[in-house]
Amino acid sequence: MWHDARLLNNLANALFGAVLLVLIASGVWWVIQRPVFTLQSIRVEATGEQGLHHVSALTVRNAALPKIRGNFFTANLDAVRAAFESVPWVRKASVQREWPNKLRVTLEEHVVMGTWGDQGKLISVKGDVFTANLAEAEDDADLVALSGPDGSEREVLAQYTELKSRFQQIHLAPVAVSYSNRYAWSVKLDNGMQVELGRVQDADTIRQRVDRLMAVYPQLVNSLQDSIESVDMRYPNGLALRSSHSAMTKKQTKASGKT
């Protein structure tokens, strides 16, 4: 008899606890659904001192806000972040709640470096490929044309940076760098000259070929002035060039195949 009473008492306590939890949950749900917690404003600011040049209030309103659901408590911050990161020019967004009905969104914009491939995409200084208005990008900087297989974006950007540094020594600059599907490199310089650098055989391949070109470039300019159209550096012991004054001029110390 005593055991039955104890069992009933335990069941009553459990039932009371369950009802209490339901009441608390209902109360909490009722509270968080009050109008005071409806999102009233979303404050957008820039990361650091860079500022926002392309993300405007109109852009945010049209692209991000319609995707945001819920109130101060129920809004999914990951979904809010993804909504802002879907806006053109936004590289990264972070979101915080501000009591009782606000969100603070911190945005980092892409800083454009150039175009990527032939599909109208852009590439940033950090190697991120993104889609945005090309005219706006052209207002920001002189765009270099980069291209390569999918997944090679950062490798191509690093190679461009290296080539830019090296060609500065002869007062030239790359305006286009291409990495083909056969893993061969080529660069177009701001004097209109196309340079074929070929495939990388080791860590020093491209550097050595560029150094060989720079070593003879002053002589080539003295001989051919501004008529050089292309230079092929894939010969281990020389080069081949094309100028507007002749169909093909070849300079090699000894015959060898291209790579």
Side-chain angles (χ1 to χ4, degrees):
M1 189 73 175
W2 178 82
H3 290 292
D4 291 341
R6 184 177 180 183
L7 178 60
L8 288 174
N9 186 56
N10 289 339
L11 289 174
N13 289 337
L15 182 60
F16 175 77
V19 171
L20 182 62
L21 287 175
V22 170
L23 290 175
I24 292 174
S26 298
V28 169
W29 181 253
W30 181 85
V31 170
I32 66 176
Q33 294 300 317
R34 295 304 86 204
V36 68
F37 300 118
T38 300
L39 291 176
Q40 298 295 324
S41 67
I42 298 177
R43 180 156 60 96
V44 178
E45 56 189 33
T47 300
E49 299 178 357
Q50 178 181 319
L52 298 175
H53 303 289
H54 299 285
V55 178
S56 65
L58 180 62
T59 301
V60 170
R61 183 165 58 250
N62 290 343
L65 296 186
K67 301 177 183 178
I68 297 174
R69 300 288 183 270
N71 62 16
F72 177 81
F73 290 105
T74 62
N76 185 321
L77 296 191
D78 287 337
V80 174
R81 176 185 53 76
F84 278 92
E85 290 181 350
S86 70
V87 175
W89 288 103
V90 175
R91 178 179 185 268
K92 185 178 180 181
S94 60
V95 185
Q96 293 179 311
R97 306 181 202 268
E98 289 191 347
W99 182 265
N101 51 21
K102 298 177 183 178
L103 295 179
R104 183 177 67 181
V105 181
T106 305
L107 301 180
E108 177 187 350
E109 283 191 352
H110 288 292
V111 178
V112 68
M113 169 64 73
T115 60
W116 178 258
D118 57 3
Q119 302 298 315
K121 294 184 178 180
L122 300 170
I123 185 169
S124 75
V125 296
K126 295 186 177 180
D128 299 315
V129 173
F130 64 103
T131 301
N133 189 304
L134 180 59
E136 293 182 19
E138 291 173 336
D139 288 340
D140 281 359
D142 293 329
L143 304 182
V144 61
L146 305 179
S147 63
D150 291 343
S152 67
E153 296 87 357
R154 283 172 171 77
E155 183 179 0
V156 174
L157 180 60
Q159 189 66 262
Y160 161 75
T161 302
E162 174 66 17
L163 291 170
K164 181 180 179 182
S165 175
R166 302 198 73 79
F167 278 113
Q168 279 180 343
Q169 300 174 41
I170 55 174
H171 309 292
L172 294 175
V175 295
V177 174
S178 175
Y179 187 39
S180 75
N181 290 328
R182 299 182 64 183
Y183 309 108
W185 292 93
S186 64
V187 55
K188 185 174 183 179
L189 301 172
D190 57 354
N191 65 348
M193 185 171 69
Q194 182 78 22
V195 181
E196 299 296 335
L197 295 170
R199 286 176 287 185
V200 174
Q201 297 171 334
D202 56 53
D204 293 327
T205 300
I206 300 300
R207 179 185 60 79
Q208 290 172 351
R209 291 176 179 176
V210 171
D211 286 349
R212 282 196 291 111
L213 174 59
M214 292 194 301
V216 300
Y217 182 73
Q219 302 171 35
L220 298 177
V221 172
N222 288 336
S223 300
L224 300 169
Q225 302 301 319
D226 296 327
S227 66
I228 304 172
E229 295 179 350
S230 64
V231 179
D232 190 338
M233 299 302 302
R234 293 174 290 177
Y235 298 90
N237 300 294
L239 59 84
L241 67 84
R242 181 184 296 275
S243 76
S244 59
H245 296 332
S246 61
M248 180 68 73
T249 302
K250 185 174 290 187
K251 177 186 175 79
Q252 290 182 275
T253 56
K254 59 181 179 180
S256 57
K258 294 185 291 184
T259 58

